[in-house]
Amino acid sequence: MTVRVQQADFDAGEEIRRLRLAHPEAGAVVSFVGQVRDLNQDRQVASLTLEHYPGMTEKSLEAIISSAYQRWNIIDTVVIHRVGTLQPLDQIVLVAVSSAHRGEAFAACEFIMDYLKTDAPFWKKEKTPTGEHWLDARDSDQSAKQRWNG
Amino acid sequence: MTVRVQQADFDAGEEIRRLRLAHPEAGAVVSFVGQVRDLNQDRQVASLTLEHYPGMTEKSLEAIISSAYQRWNIIDTVVIHRVGTLQPLDQIVLVAVSSAHRGEAFAACEFIMDYLKTDAPFWKKEKTPTGEHWLDARDSDQSAKQRWNG
Amino acid sequence: MIQLLYFARLREALNMDGEALPLTEAISVSALMASLAARGGAWQEQFDGTRPLRAAINQELVANTALIQPGDEVAFFPPVTGG
Amino acid sequence: MIQLLYFARLREALNMDGEALPLTEAISVSALMASLAARGGAWQEQFDGTRPLRAAINQELVANTALIQPGDEVAFFPPVTGG
């Protein structure tokens, strides 16, 4: 399990390769990469600034990943989340999961993303041509998470 | 939509990056990478040879991807599948899907893999220390596919 | 004429990757399989219906009730195992 | 004493990223919120319960009924929006 919260960019391909090669018994690596969009709900995005709660961020990500290990037979995971000011097309987050069979890697990767969205202490402030504002949490993220308890 | 069937290896990270950067409106890229395991059902794998049905392979992959476009609001996809003789830790297949929101990219990527497993004309022959044999199709792959019609 | 193609385990068992067969009117996949099984030996083993076998006409998966027309490309193969 | 931390929109509204407060016996999160709201102005706006607010004690998300003990680190913040 690797968790990193950093300003620097990351190399998603290298992380996936590392997960693969570290575990010859892993047949599958499923990954999610999130990037800054140029348009968000019809607003032109100039930049996005990510704030977090150092200490709690890492603990909450580790707790989410541990839940995934309890639910599925997965082999390894990496979660990298960037903080600071990002531009459109910058990467924000990587979640990658390896497992022997694909179904468990898909489920665990989506589970981790869904819980990250609702439980990990990150906040986004969007800068547009007309000013800055904090983004509101979305109800769809709450429902995506609640699915897993269905 | 990109479909490639090739002997050569591929760069999963580069394909994911290409999907991201080509579509600033894509917030999410979900990908699957499959690799040759060193052990398969307790058999030591020396190599794996993939045969396919040229022409039908590409058509069936394109049909699977088209079904995914009909079911979900996805932006772009790439499927690369290798053929020929591979060693443990070699990559076999990449499926990557971009979309505005993560749920659709996860669903479409897993759907494409599930249908690829049951409908795309590839066959695996495994070489072990005791000889060569063709792999049998797995019932679990049929049920994974049938899930999507539930 | 139709063009027949055999893949994977089937290709090896028949020791042949394909052949052209005369065909002047439509027949079903299962009728073609029965006539191939009638060749005996490995052909009978592979086409008598005891082993799982898939068929494609012109590169599309079909059921055994599908009709083959003169000029079609017909492929037989075991259940697929890619990915 | 307890250490209070404020994040994101809340930090900006209060113009403060944290403060130390005296505390000698356990109180609930909602009781602490009520005492912060009683400061009036921006404090009242943020802590009077009309805006969605999350609380963490020692870096774990908690419900408003949770008890804060002397020595705890208590954080308040808006619903999270990472990923």
Side-chain angles (χ1 to χ4, degrees), chain B residues 51-56 59 81 92-93 116-118 120-125 134-137, chain C residues 5-9 11-12 54 56 58-61 73-75 77-83:
Chain B
E51 178 172 331
H52 79 124
Y53 178 177
M56 178 172 168
K59 280 170 70 171
H81 202 298
I92 302 173
V93 60
L116 184 158
K117 282 271 181 184
T118 56
F122 294 101
W123 301 274
K124 283 181 185 140
K125 190 179 198 177
W134 292 97
L135 295 186
D136 286 320
Chain C
L5 298 171
Y6 309 121
F7 289 97
R9 195 197 308 247
R11 174 177 53 72
E12 289 190 350
R54 300 282 178 273
N58 298 327
Q59 309 189 345
E60 303 231 347
L61 279 173
E73 175 177 300
V74 180
F77 43 78
V80 307
T81 57

Side-chain angles (χ1 to χ4, degrees), chain D residues 22-43:
Chain D
L23 185 80
T24 52
E25 56 190 43
I27 57 164
S28 69
V29 170
S30 49
L32 174 60
M33 286 174 64
S35 80
L36 293 170
R39 292 174 174 178
W43 296 88

